[in-house]
């Protein structure tokens, strides 16, 4: 007999196996009872937990320097979980939110959550006084983006977070565009960070996913009467409070997972969690290359006669430039926008003339994409919200992928020739921002 037959095989998988199981078995009823009653840790059913999902949650919490995380089926679901947990049960719930928000977040706040009684005020993320003026007694949450989508404004996060905390509100930051590689909101006053993992974290334009991270700074016991659904005993938690059940810094995550994720069901599947985690392994190299290409393309386009204005943190001046340099940002990101110098019909022709750059409402893909926010991601804003957003009919948003920059420049210049051609002598083929006007 060979000596090898009895020994277990040596070697363990480098990549975590996919645990495709809806339910989890227990050896004894006593074990099952303890886990279902949340007296012992463990998995019951994959709607509220799965080993691959848990690995993704641990990884985003580590990258954001947080206390823990909850994964959801999309970025929308993660934002909804955060806002429901922080405002849902309050009778007088009010949120102050950035006037420069992703369109889906605006729909959620002003339609679906407004139906549940949430009241919302909009404030400019560059002007902390607007946030201070918008605060009311019922304000439970401030919500803003660390790099705004699509015009890439950087917020005065530290000043805004101080205002929120002075008034007992929690600060939620959507860190989708920046990613934790470029910015960690928890170091600048955010209590919670949300991500559309669909974008840079997954990185390849495939799966949808969302993440809610607690940075660990929010403690509802500092003002228990303001957060009774977290601090008072509830039947749901076996007659204890959420704080007693999950601890002060994880109470919001516990309620988000075991109440809202469990009851509403927008959970992430094991295969998708696995795919997002694989994407996150290359996050840094992708984001650095995409940021560098975006910075270079934005600088090139800023000098193009068909372009009136570019929006990218690296092209900004004044206070925005100061925030990029000294506000904790480690790069400017792969999203930039341009306001074209043509008529709306010419803008449409430019979009339709792009070949390499595809027209699609996504960011963070390895492929470069263009969007027309007024017709696409932000098409449901009211005229007033549209004016406050800074977007115009002539604004195009680009999300830079990993293609060769010279090919992107050539595609852009060919399409922009609908409006204007650069002066003779421009070196469009060289890329890397070397295009300069002839003397
Ligand atoms: C895409 C996006 C979302 C929503 O995420 P989904 O995964 O598409 O549901 C939220 N915030 C920002 C900034 C986004 O770009």
């Amino acid at each position: 007999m060979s000596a090898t037959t009895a020994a277990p095989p040596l070697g363990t998988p480098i990549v975590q196996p996919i645990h495709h199981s809806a339910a989890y078995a227990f050896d004894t009823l006593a074990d099952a009872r303890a886990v279902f009653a949340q007296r012992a840790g463990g998995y019951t059913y994959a709607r509220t937990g799965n080993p691959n999902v848990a690995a993704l949650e641990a990884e985003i919490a580590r990258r954001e320097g947080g206390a823990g995380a909850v994964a959801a089926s999309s970025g929308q679901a993660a934002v909804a979980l955060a806002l429901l947990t922080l405002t849902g049960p309050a009778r007088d719930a009010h949120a102050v939110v950035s006037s420069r928000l992703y369109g889906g977040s605006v729909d959620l706040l002003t339609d679906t959550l407004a139906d549940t009684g949430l009241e919302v005020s909009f404030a400019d993320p560059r002007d902390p006084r607007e946030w201070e003026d918008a605060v009311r007694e019922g304000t439970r949450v401030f919500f803003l983006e660390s790099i705004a989508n699509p015009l890439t404004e950087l917020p005065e996060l530290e000043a805004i977070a101080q205002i929120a905390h002075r008034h007992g509100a929690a600060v939620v930051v959507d860190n989708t565009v920046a990613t934790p590689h470029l910015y960690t909101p928890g170091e600048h006053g955010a209590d919670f960070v949300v991500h559309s993992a669909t974008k840079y974290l997954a990185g390849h334009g495939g799966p949808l996913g969302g993440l809610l991270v607690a940075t660990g700074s929010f403690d509802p016991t500092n003002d228990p009467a303001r957060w009774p659904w977290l601090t008072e005993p509830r039947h749901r938690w076996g007659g204890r409070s959420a704080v007693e059940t999950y601890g002060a810094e994880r109470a919001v995550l516990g309620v988000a997972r075991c109440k809202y994720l469990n009851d509403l069901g927008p959970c992430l599947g094991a295969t998708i969690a696995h795919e997002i985690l694989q994407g996150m392994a290359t996050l840094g190299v992708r984001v650095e290359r995409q940021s560098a290409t975006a910075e270079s393309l934005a600088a090139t386009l800023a000098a193009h006669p068909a372009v009136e204005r570019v929006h990218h943190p690296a092209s900004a001046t004044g206070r925005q430039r100061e925030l990029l340099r000294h506000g904790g940002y480690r790069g400017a990101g792969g999203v930039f926008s341009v306001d074209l110098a043509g008529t709306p019909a010419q803008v449409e022709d430019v979009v339709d003339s792009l070949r390499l750059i595809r027209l699609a409402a996504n960011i963070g893909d390895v492929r470069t994409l263009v969007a027309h926010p007024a017709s696409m991601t932000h098409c449901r804003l009211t005229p007033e919200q549209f004016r406050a957003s800074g977007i115009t009919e002539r604004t195009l948003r680009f999300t830079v992928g990993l293609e060769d920059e010279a090919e992107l420049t050539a595609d852009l210049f060919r399409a922009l020739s609908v409006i204007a051609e650069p002066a003779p002598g421009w070196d469009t083929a060289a890329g890397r921002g070397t295009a300069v006007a002839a003397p």
Side-chain angles (χ1 to χ4, degrees):
M1 289 294 284
S2 150
T4 58
T5 50
L10 294 175
T12 49
I14 292 281
V15 177
Q16 184 187 23
I18 298 176
H19 298 272
H20 225 344
S21 181
Y24 301 84
F26 301 93
D27 289 338
T28 66
L29 183 57
D31 285 353
R33 194 179 285 126
V35 176
F36 272 82
Q38 297 186 39
R39 288 195 308 273
Y43 302 110
T44 57
Y45 187 69
R47 195 183 321 123
T48 50
N50 163 281
N52 296 99
V53 174
L56 173 63
E57 290 169 344
E59 178 61 6
I60 191 65
R62 185 184 72 78
R63 297 228 191 187
E64 290 286 2
V70 174
S73 56
S74 66
Q76 278 299 120
V79 173
L81 288 178
L83 295 175
L84 279 171
T85 309
L86 290 165
T87 69
R91 290 279 155 272
D92 60 346
H94 174 249
V96 187
V97 310
S98 170
S99 55
R100 311 300 176 102
L101 276 187
Y102 175 68
S105 300
V106 178
D107 287 345
L108 172 68
L109 285 156
T110 60
D111 190 2
T112 299
L113 291 180
D115 289 346
T116 72
L118 179 69
E119 294 192 16
V120 176
S121 304
F122 289 91
D124 190 318
R126 297 163 300 182
D127 185 358
R129 268 172 318 176
E130 288 194 13
W131 296 71
E132 179 84 59
D133 292 346
V135 170
R136 321 175 181 162
E137 180 50 35
T139 307
R140 297 300 199 294
V141 66
F142 278 22
F143 180 46
L144 64 164
E145 296 175 8
S146 51
I147 297 180
N149 175 9
L151 297 184
T152 72
E153 298 94 340
L154 307 181
E156 296 284 350
L157 178 57
E158 290 184 10
I160 289 169
Q162 273 175 19
I163 294 165
H165 293 151
R166 200 161 62 241
H167 294 283
V171 178
V172 181
V173 173
D174 184 331
N175 202 30
T176 298
V177 177
T179 82
H181 187 74
L182 298 182
Y183 190 70
T184 24
E187 291 171 10
H188 306 280
D191 301 302
F192 300 94
V193 178
V194 289
H195 280 281
S196 169
T198 314
K199 313 293 169 55
Y200 287 97
L201 301 183
H204 298 74
L208 265 69
L211 294 159
L212 162 61
V213 183
T215 66
S217 53
F218 176 73
D219 184 348
T221 63
N222 289 338
D223 188 359
R226 231 178 138 61
W227 312 94
W229 62 94
L230 301 174
T231 59
E232 289 177 3
R234 286 285 187 271
H235 176 72
R236 184 99 198 203
W237 322 118
R240 294 176 298 168
S241 71
V243 165
E244 285 172 287
T245 307
Y246 302 109
E249 65 173 21
R250 300 176 59 92
V252 164
L253 294 180
V255 174
R257 184 192 306 282
C258 299
K259 177 181 163 93
Y260 292 105
L261 190 61
N262 184 65
D263 293 3
L264 301 175
C267 56
L268 193 67
T271 315
I272 303 282
H274 174 85
E275 201 175 324
I276 295 168
L277 202 49
Q278 290 285 77
M280 283 176 73
T282 58
L283 178 68
V285 283
R286 282 187 282 107
V287 166
E288 295 209 355
R289 162 83 181 260
Q290 288 164 326
S291 287
T293 309
E295 179 169 344
S296 177
L297 281 178
T300 302
L301 290 180
H304 192 288
V307 175
E308 194 174 279
R309 182 164 173 204
V310 302
H311 305 266
H312 188 245
S315 305
T317 55
R319 177 66 184 150
Q320 287 283 301
R321 183 166 195 79
E322 203 176 299
L323 279 170
L324 179 65
R325 291 211 173 147
H326 306 296
Y329 290 88
R330 296 177 285 272
V335 173
F336 72 90
S337 291
V338 297
D339 297 333
L340 295 184
T343 64
Q346 286 175 316
V347 172
E348 188 146 357
D349 278 351
V350 169
V351 172
D352 292 348
S353 306
L354 289 165
R355 287 185 207 139
L356 176 63
I357 301 175
R358 310 281 302 277
L359 175 63
N362 196 13
I363 59 172
D365 198 329
V366 290
R367 287 155 281 252
T368 300
L369 304 173
V370 63
H372 184 246
S375 310
M376 297 166 71
T377 48
H378 291 71
C379 68
R380 274 184 297 281
L381 299 194
T382 64
E384 193 185 317
Q385 286 165 355
F386 189 72
R387 265 193 308 280
S389 75
I391 302 163
T392 74
E393 291 288 341
R394 293 178 294 120
T395 305
L396 296 182
R397 181 193 71 189
F398 293 92
T399 167
V400 177
L402 297 179
E403 303 92 335
D404 195 49
E405 187 184 334
E407 285 184 57
L408 294 171
T409 311
D411 196 35
L412 282 165
F413 275 45
R414 200 182 32 69
L416 289 172
S417 69
V418 167
I419 296 174
E421 301 261 16
W426 274 51
D427 183 3
T428 58
R432 301 237 155 260
T434 53
V436 285

